[in-house]
Amino acid sequence: MKFSRRVAAFVLAIAAFMVFEWITLAFNLAPGHPSAFYVVHGVLIAVNLVIAACLGVIAVRAWRSGRSDDA
């Protein structure tokens, strides 16, 4: 499956937003919750950052392949 450059840019923007969103959440977790709260949110943050990294890699590869097809 091939992505157009527009789709690749959109997926890269989503990945960047996910990183921003989850890192912001990590810094805004208020103290005073039970330990399970932090464990669950830590797992959510880690999983979503891995998903964002995968999306970023896919988008960059799609962007590069779109450039080589244009030449």
Side-chain angles (χ1 to χ4, degrees):
M1 182 170 118
K2 291 186 107 173
F3 288 171
S4 67
R5 287 187 125 192
R6 178 180 286 181
V7 172
F10 180 71
V11 172
L12 190 59
I14 289 173
F17 175 74
M18 286 177 68
V19 169
F20 170 76
E21 177 184 20
W22 286 100
I23 288 179
T24 302
L25 173 74
F27 283 115
N28 288 334
L29 287 176
H33 293 286
S35 296
F37 176 85
Y38 296 111
V39 170
V40 168
H41 281 79
V43 169
L44 286 172
I45 290 167
V47 167
N48 279 286
L49 289 177
V50 169
I51 291 170
C54 292
L55 285 175
V57 168
I58 291 169
V60 168
R61 287 182 180 175
W63 182 268
R64 288 183 181 165
S65 71
R67 180 176 12 189
S68 64
D69 289 346
D70 294 341

